[in-house]
């Protein structure tokens, strides 16, 4: 039997296999950022995975940076997510929520607020899925008092996720979003206790982790990292030292798992990071069944998160078991049947968002 089908204990979570649904933004919530029946169907179809990590879910309105992504800051959202977690549990699934704040890659078009960040440095890119194209605005550098408020938002979101029936949570500290912006050196040039040294740059992410642990306990909390620093104009001068410090601190807190978006290739630092971490190390990015098995057998990972192949194959676990050919994935179906989700030049009803209810594959 494939090692992918061996059960595993991740913190307080007992999983039936080592196949993880990677968090995948699909832009499918309604206009009030409340998850809907389509999202429920999506997760229920994949309940055979050992662990489902939800799409990134905004902790508050300031943390929104894409159209029709879900939130977890109000009662309507909590109730809708509860319906989803109940349905997943009825099918024998285990599901955790990914808590998200996009930081400087937000835009007033989404929430009427200027973006926020560790420093007043805009990413040299354009706002995602918006036409006509526009560059990201220079963000407001958070004061220490404002940082504390964002940490409170992480805590409240964690409390809401618990009320919504999730089995745990994962903090999104990867891919150039707010926690990652504080950690990495090119996006954080602060001179106070939240900038400068690696320990200072890691302070805010770790304080957010501590707030969430206080709600859930460390055994039901995970953290998402992307050590390569290849998205949204975020990078670090010394990634091995920076991420080694972060992972060591997460290990001291007995965190349940780390999910790293980094293929276990020769130039990957994940094998080093895994040795520094006491919990479960999940690898994600470009894995097949065979390469996932090799990564676990070689000790580079304990479990594998599958992303694009999971979109096209909701029955991925069954196909892996039966060695069946996978459906090919097509990026044009990842979000929506339209080319763009939000068109500034063409005001539309319902906040200008296109309908997103006819998305490809079997969803």
């Amino acid at each position: 039997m494939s090692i992918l089908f061996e059960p595993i204990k991740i913190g307080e979570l007992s999983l039936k296999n080592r196949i993880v649904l990677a968090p995948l933004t699909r832009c499918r919530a309604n206009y009030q950022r409340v998850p809907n029946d389509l999202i429920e169907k999506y997760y229920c179809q994949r309940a055979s995975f050992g662990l489902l990590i939800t799409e990134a879910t905004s902790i508050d309105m300031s943390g929104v940076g894409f159209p029709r992504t879900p939130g977890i800051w109000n009662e309507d959202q909590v109730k809708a997510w509860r319906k989803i977690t109940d349905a997943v549990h009825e099918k024998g699934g285990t599901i955790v929520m990914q808590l998200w704040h996009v930081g400087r890659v937000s835009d007033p078009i989404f929430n009427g607020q200027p973006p926020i960040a560790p420093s007043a440095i805009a990413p040299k890119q354009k706002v995602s899925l918006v036409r006509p194209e526009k560059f990201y605005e220079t963000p407001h550098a958070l004061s220490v008092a404002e940082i504390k408020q964002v940490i409170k938002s992480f805590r409240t979101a964690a409390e809401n996720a618990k009320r919504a029936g999730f089995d745990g949570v994962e903090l999104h500290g990867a891919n150039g979003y707010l926690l990652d912006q504080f950690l990495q050196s090119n996006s954080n040039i602060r001179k106070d206790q939240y900038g400068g040294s690696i320990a200072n740059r890691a302070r805010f992410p770790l304080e957010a982790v501590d707030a969430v642990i206080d709600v859930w306990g460390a055994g039901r909390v995970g953290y998402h990292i992307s050590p390569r620093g290849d998205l949204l104009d975020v990078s670090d001068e010394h990634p091995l030292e920076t991420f080694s410090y972060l992972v060591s601190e997460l290990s001291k807190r007995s965190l349940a798992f780390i999910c790293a978006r980094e293929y276990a290739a020769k130039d990957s630092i994940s094998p080093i990071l895994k040795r520094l971490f006491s919990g479960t190390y999940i690898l994600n990015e470009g894995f097949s069944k065979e390469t996932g098995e090799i990564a676990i057998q070689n000790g580079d990972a304990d479990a594998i998160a599958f992303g694009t192949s999971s979109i096209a194959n909701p029955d991925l676990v069954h196909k892996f078991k039966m060695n069946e050919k996978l459906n090919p994935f097509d990026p044009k179906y990842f979000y929506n049947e339209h080319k763009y989700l939000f068109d500034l030049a063409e005001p539309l009803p319902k906040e200008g968002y296109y309908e997103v209810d006819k998305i490809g594959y079997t969803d």
Side-chain angles (χ1 to χ4, degrees):
M1 184 179 69
S2 168
I3 196 170
L4 287 170
F5 296 105
E6 291 184 0
I8 185 174
K9 188 80 180 295
I10 298 182
E12 297 179 15
L13 303 174
S14 296
L15 308 185
K16 56 198 171 191
N17 59 57
R18 298 170 186 244
I19 300 168
V20 177
L21 176 67
L24 297 162
T25 294
R26 303 299 304 276
C27 298
R28 294 169 140 195
N30 72 14
Y31 307 106
Q32 289 74 43
R33 301 188 179 272
V34 176
N36 51 28
D37 291 343
L38 185 62
I39 293 176
E40 178 185 338
K41 181 179 180 182
Y42 173 77
Y43 290 114
C44 284
Q45 284 178 326
R46 293 157 178 84
S48 59
F49 287 63
L51 179 66
L52 306 177
I53 306 176
T54 71
E55 62 214 271
T57 303
S58 296
I59 62 171
D60 61 30
M61 198 63 190
S62 73
V64 168
F66 294 81
R68 291 187 71 169
T69 50
I72 189 64
W73 66 79
N74 66 40
E75 285 302 310
D76 288 341
Q77 294 162 346
V78 170
K79 290 177 182 177
W81 278 118
R82 183 76 202 211
K83 182 172 178 284
I84 292 169
T85 60
D86 285 348
V88 168
H89 290 150
E90 286 177 7
K91 292 185 173 293
T94 300
I95 183 168
V96 300
M97 170 174 277
Q98 188 182 67
L99 303 178
W100 189 34
H101 195 300
V102 304
R104 68 182 189 173
V105 292
S106 184
D107 187 88
I109 193 172
F110 296 119
N111 51 32
Q113 306 173 36
I116 61 176
S119 304
I121 304 171
K124 299 180 180 67
Q125 294 179 351
K126 294 171 183 176
V127 182
S128 297
L129 304 176
V130 169
R131 294 297 182 271
E133 294 183 335
K134 60 176 296 191
F135 282 95
Y136 285 108
E137 297 186 2
T138 300
H140 162 68
L142 290 164
S143 68
V144 171
E146 289 169 331
I147 288 172
K148 302 300 184 185
Q149 286 299 313
V150 177
I151 292 169
K152 286 182 64 176
S153 291
F154 270 102
R155 181 188 179 93
T156 299
E159 292 170 342
N160 288 343
K162 180 174 276 192
R163 293 194 296 117
F166 283 92
D167 298 298
V169 293
E170 179 194 67
L171 290 89
H172 196 341
N175 300 349
Y177 298 122
L178 185 63
L179 298 178
D180 206 23
Q181 292 161 25
F182 268 86
L183 180 67
Q184 301 210 49
S185 60
N186 84 324
S187 51
N188 183 348
I189 59 171
R190 299 175 71 98
K191 304 299 183 184
D192 62 4
Q193 67 265 44
Y194 289 98
S197 68
I198 293 173
N200 280 356
R201 285 185 277 117
R203 189 183 307 277
F204 169 62
L206 292 172
E207 287 181 351
V209 168
D210 290 339
V212 172
I213 288 175
D214 194 43
V215 174
W216 277 96
R220 293 181 179 270
V221 176
Y223 196 90
H224 206 68
I225 62 173
S226 53
R228 194 166 58 247
D230 59 343
L231 288 177
L232 295 173
D233 201 25
V234 164
S235 63
D236 192 84
E237 292 179 341
H238 305 288
L240 178 58
E241 291 83 354
T242 296
F243 282 92
S244 293
Y245 177 83
L246 175 69
V247 168
S248 296
E249 288 297 313
L250 295 175
S251 186
K252 290 177 184 177
R253 289 161 169 78
S254 300
L255 216 66
F257 69 90
I258 285 174
C259 185
R261 188 185 63 79
E262 186 187 49
Y263 185 79
K266 290 182 179 179
D267 61 348
S268 168
I269 65 172
S270 273
I272 299 172
L273 300 179
K274 184 181 184 300
R275 292 196 294 271
L276 297 173
F277 187 57
S278 60
T280 297
Y281 203 85
I282 303 169
L283 276 181
N284 162 246
E285 192 176 48
F287 282 93
S288 65
K289 177 188 175 185
E290 292 73 23
T291 58
E293 290 169 339
I294 291 169
I296 296 174
Q297 290 164 349
N298 289 347
D300 293 329
D302 300 301
I304 303 296
F306 296 90
T308 52
S309 57
S310 298
I311 295 176
N313 298 274
D315 56 346
L316 187 69
V317 174
H318 171 77
K319 286 183 174 177
F320 278 175
K321 282 183 178 178
M322 304 305 295
N323 291 314
E324 294 181 3
K325 184 179 179 180
L326 301 185
N327 298 329
F329 60 84
D330 188 340
K332 75 181 181 182
Y333 291 119
F334 282 3
Y335 299 112
N336 168 309
E337 61 186 313
H338 300 278
K339 188 174 182 182
Y340 304 116
L341 290 173
F342 203 177
D343 192 338
L344 298 175
E346 185 183 354
L348 297 172
K350 297 183 179 178
E351 302 181 16
Y353 296 127
Y354 289 110
E355 289 292 340
V356 193
D357 289 333
K358 295 180 181 178
I359 303 179
Y361 307 113
T362 61
D363 293 351

